[in-house]
């Protein structure tokens, strides 16, 4: 139903009914803001970038071919715009592969199971803040927004195997860091 509604509104906009764009904005503004705020970490900047994204979407609607779902196309624009903005203002630091490869999966304890849900969420929040923006977004898209690996690949431009590897490394890093916090 949502895809039909999106296509309906897109066709209305293409036929000159510019007010139909309000429906697109209302439907997606919260999700776009979530994506951008995970990358930018500044509410004012995030709001400005969200506005820029919707301007780009409006100006590019004639380029939407329907090969993928409208939401995937929109999220791709949001992701690329936010990443471009963050790269302009700061250097993105990726989690060191050498740091992670030094720790085997077996060395990471299951002490997370021994703490309360509230503590677990607190540690998770702390570790998410440690992640570079792109990696925090990957985790958010997969676990919080329930995007499939294929959708994440389409949105980010990564291959499926690259998405899987990055998610594995990020989970490993997060687990390691949470365990460090627990044993401090």
């Amino acid at each position: 139903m949502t895809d039909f509604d999106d296509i309906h509104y897109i066709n209305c906009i293409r036929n000159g009914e510019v007010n139909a764009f309000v429906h697109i904005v209302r439907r997606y503004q919260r999700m776009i803001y979530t994506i951008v705020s995970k990358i930018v970490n500044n509410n004012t900047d995030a709001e400005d970038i969200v506005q820029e994204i919707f301007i780009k979407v409006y100006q590019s609607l004639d380029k939407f071919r329907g090969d993928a779902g409208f939401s995937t196309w929109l999220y791709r624009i949001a992701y690329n715009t936010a990443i471009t903005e963050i790269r302009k203002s700061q250097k993105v630091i990726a989690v060191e592969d050498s740091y992670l490869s030094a720790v085997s999966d077996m060395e990471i304890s299951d002490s997370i199971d021994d703490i309360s849900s509230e503590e677990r969420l607190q540690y998770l929040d702390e570790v998410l803040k440690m992640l570079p923006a792109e990696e925090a977004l990957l985790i958010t898209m997969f676990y919080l927004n329930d995007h499939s690996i294929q959708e994440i690949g389409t949105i980010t431009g990564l291959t499926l195997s690259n998405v899987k590897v990055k998610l594995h490394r990020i989970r490993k890093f997060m687990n390691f860091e949470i365990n460090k916090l627990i044993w401090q």
Side-chain angles (χ1 to χ4, degrees):
M1 186 75 167
T2 300
D3 286 337
F4 172 75
D5 289 344
D6 291 344
I7 299 302
H8 170 76
Y9 290 122
I10 290 167
N11 288 333
C12 288
I13 296 163
R14 287 177 175 167
N15 290 328
E17 296 177 42
V18 293
N19 291 336
F21 193 68
V22 169
H23 297 286
I24 299 287
V25 173
R26 285 184 183 151
R27 180 173 292 139
Y28 293 105
Q29 68 185 2
R30 182 177 290 147
M31 183 59 66
I32 298 301
Y33 180 81
T34 300
I35 289 171
V36 172
S37 65
K38 292 294 180 190
I39 296 172
V40 177
N41 289 329
N42 176 315
N43 291 339
T44 305
D45 291 343
E47 290 169 3
D48 290 345
I49 293 170
V50 168
Q51 287 180 1
E52 181 182 333
I53 289 165
F54 280 112
I55 290 169
K56 282 184 180 183
V57 168
Y58 181 80
Q59 292 172 340
S60 303
L61 275 177
D62 60 322
K63 296 177 184 171
F64 174 67
R65 297 185 312 260
D67 298 340
F70 177 73
S71 62
T72 303
W73 181 78
L74 176 63
Y75 297 155
R76 174 89 189 215
I77 292 172
Y79 175 81
N80 288 339
T81 303
I83 293 299
T84 299
E85 289 301 315
I86 197 74
R87 285 182 178 157
K88 286 180 188 176
S89 63
Q90 71 185 52
K91 191 174 184 175
V92 176
I93 303 168
V95 173
E96 292 286 330
D97 288 341
S98 59
Y99 174 72
L100 292 178
S101 61
V103 180
S104 73
D105 290 332
M106 300 302 282
E107 288 179 89
I108 299 174
S109 73
D110 293 324
S111 55
I112 292 173
D113 295 334
D114 298 333
I115 62 174
S116 70
S117 295
E118 187 177 308
E119 288 176 306
R120 196 175 303 155
L121 289 173
Q122 180 183 357
Y123 290 137
L124 182 60
D125 188 49
E126 282 185 53
V127 173
L128 270 172
K129 290 176 184 173
M130 291 179 193
L131 290 173
E134 291 179 70
E135 294 176 1
L137 182 60
L138 287 176
I139 289 292
T140 301
M141 284 193 293
F142 189 74
Y143 288 105
L144 301 178
N145 299 338
D146 294 322
H147 286 289
S148 69
I149 290 175
Q150 186 171 357
E151 288 173 322
I152 294 171
T154 302
I155 292 167
T156 61
L158 299 171
T159 65
L160 297 181
S161 59
N162 202 346
V163 171
K164 289 177 187 177
V165 167
K166 284 182 179 278
L167 285 171
H168 173 75
R169 288 180 181 160
I170 296 166
R171 282 189 300 259
K172 190 173 179 179
F173 170 79
M174 291 178 70
N175 198 1
F176 180 78
E177 290 299 321
I178 289 171
N179 277 288
K180 276 179 31 181
L181 290 170
I182 290 169
W183 293 105
Q184 280 184 341

